[in-house]
Amino acid sequence: MSRERLDVVAVPAGHPYVEHLLPAGGGPAGFAFRPDPDPDDPSRPATGRWWPPVALGPAWLAAQDCDVLHVHFGFDATPADQLAELLDVAEDRGIGVVVTVHDLHSPHQEDPREHLAKLDVLVPHADAVLTLTAGAAARIAARWGRVAQVVAHPHLVDLDAMTRLRAARRERVPTTVGVEIKALRTNTDPDLLPRLETACGELGLGLRVGVHRELAQRSDERSRATTRWLVAATRRGVDVQWHDRFPDDELWRWLADLDVAVLPYRFGTHSGWLEACHDVGTPVVAPAVGCYGDQGAAALFALDDTGSLTDALRRAVGRAGPAGLAGLDAPARRRQRERLAAEHDRTYRTVAAAARAQAERRQRSA
């Protein structure tokens, strides 16, 4: 029997992207997301750490009474054969499966083949496929022959904070370009830094580099070489800011203090960082890879090309003044959440009804 309010297992549920698929302010929705199970004790809800995701375990799903399994991300360490078994369980149980393709090339893996092999399991067999940009949808159609529904990326910054931070920057003259390299994730390009320093110097802009303190403690050559560059750049006047992992409110302020943000990636697909920058009004310069242009980057640059980077920064700075801010404001983001909730509700109801009917037909014919 169909439920008035659908019970959805989202992987992960405890991520701002997923949380913001529901209406803002706790408004009514036709579905609810279950809390992530605690990886250390799946009988209780997770209180902070959701990875590795318990909900990708076939045995766990087989014991659940739910309507929809919605896989977003977090399956990097899940073997492809386990994902296939998970889908079999969902089919047997009459659970609809939705997959949102956030990444076609995982930012955590240099070689895309392992991630694609998992998508080779998930995408063809999902009851519905979603993605975030038209460019990603075209690639999904080319590889798997699936028509992916394009849905907007919801805001990440709290709506009240978004309003305050956007209002505070309206009268500012652009002076600062910023890049956050964290602790050098696999797709982060440290070779971008000297090119960025040169480009900012040519345009008369200051450069700010954020970096996690842990990087200086690492012994691999990539980390050591980057640390050496950062120390030398500090002496040349680059504003290098060593910090621990930011709490959300500090991160949003850091992004809002930038006039232009640069994504330091060699590969990838979509970016939550880009979305958060737009939330606080900061335009983004991104590499011409993945789907960052479709996601709304102010300008794109060719990898390993300082001239292209300089031109992209010049274009972005031209869009960073008080005349207008990047991204949607808080009221528009609130309306966007209402639309996203409605779109997901329709998708969930369609796949849940179809999966349930198919399971009932199998039971009758058994």
Side-chain angles (χ1 to χ4, degrees):
M1 180 179 291
S2 158
R3 280 186 257 239
E4 184 175 341
R5 194 178 196 200
L6 295 179
D7 183 1
V8 179
V9 173
V11 183
H15 187 280
Y17 178 99
V18 177
E19 293 166 348
H20 293 172
L21 297 177
L22 290 164
F31 59 93
F33 294 124
R34 285 194 187 187
D36 294 302
D38 189 314
D40 297 321
D41 181 359
S43 67
R44 66 186 187 195
T47 56
R49 181 174 66 87
W50 56 266
W51 196 91
V54 174
L56 294 182
W60 183 88
L61 187 66
Q64 307 307 307
D65 178 20
C66 61
D67 300 295
V68 176
L69 170 69
H70 190 165
V71 180
H72 288 272
F73 41 80
F75 51 86
D76 305 71
T78 306
D81 58 354
Q82 179 178 319
L83 293 173
E85 185 181 352
L86 181 78
L87 296 179
D88 288 342
V89 168
E91 184 178 9
D92 290 343
R93 298 275 296 157
I95 299 169
V97 176
V98 178
V99 173
T100 295
V101 180
H102 292 257
D103 300 309
L104 289 161
H105 189 166
S106 169
H108 306 290
Q109 298 169 335
E110 185 85 31
D111 188 336
R113 288 177 294 182
E114 181 180 351
H115 186 74
L116 286 170
K118 294 173 184 179
L119 292 177
D120 285 341
V121 173
L122 292 170
V123 172
H125 300 100
D127 298 302
V129 179
L130 312 180
T131 193
L132 309 180
T133 58
R139 298 180 194 188
I140 290 166
R143 183 178 178 95
W144 294 288
R146 294 296 305 265
V147 176
Q149 179 185 353
V150 177
V151 295
H153 192 305
H155 68 95
L156 295 178
V157 178
D158 173 80
L159 291 170
D160 290 338
M162 187 189 308
T163 299
R164 292 193 304 272
L165 292 168
R166 291 176 71 90
R169 64 180 294 152
R170 283 195 175 275
E171 301 306 321
R172 205 164 70 201
V173 176
T175 59
T176 304
V177 172
V179 61
E180 172 62 64
I181 64 170
K182 299 184 182 179
L184 286 188
R185 189 172 67 176
T186 304
N187 71 333
T188 300
D189 180 15
D191 294 335
L192 173 69
L193 296 174
R195 291 192 292 277
L196 193 52
E197 183 183 12
T198 298
C200 287
E202 183 174 331
L203 297 173
L205 298 169
L207 174 59
R208 180 175 300 159
V209 182
V211 55
H212 287 182
R213 286 192 177 94
E214 67 182 88
L215 186 73
Q217 309 304 317
R218 293 185 176 175
S219 58
D220 63 282
E221 182 51 34
R222 182 169 176 254
S223 298
R224 292 175 63 186
T226 304
T227 299
R228 289 193 295 270
W229 186 91
L230 292 167
V231 170
T234 301
R235 299 192 191 103
R236 296 191 297 271
V238 174
D239 180 13
V240 176
Q241 298 186 352
W242 297 86
H243 59 83
D244 296 322
R245 189 178 301 273
F246 283 129
D248 284 348
D249 57 343
E250 290 183 29
L251 173 58
W252 311 147
R253 287 196 298 270
W254 197 89
L255 295 176
D257 282 343
L258 304 178
D259 297 301
V260 175
V262 178
L263 297 187
Y265 306 147
R266 292 198 68 82
F267 57 86
T269 311
H270 302 115
S271 170
W273 194 265
L274 182 152
E275 214 67 41
C277 287
H278 284 179
D279 286 345
V280 299
T282 302
V284 174
V285 168
V289 299
C291 301
Y292 303 131
D294 283 352
Q295 203 179 341
L300 302 176
F301 63 91
L303 294 174
D304 305 321
D305 186 331
T306 304
S308 173
L309 177 60
T310 304
D311 290 343
L313 286 174
R314 185 181 291 111
R315 293 195 300 275
V317 166
R319 298 173 59 175
L325 301 181
L328 301 175
D329 61 15
R333 284 295 210 181
R334 185 181 294 273
R335 293 191 295 272
Q336 184 186 64
R337 277 181 66 169
E338 299 286 344
R339 293 193 298 272
L340 284 168
E343 289 169 349
H344 281 75
D345 183 69
R346 287 193 294 271
T347 299
Y348 292 155
R349 291 190 179 280
T350 298
V351 303
R356 192 180 306 113
Q358 185 178 17
E360 290 171 354
R361 285 194 298 271
R362 279 198 309 273
Q363 289 173 358
R364 287 194 298 269
S365 62

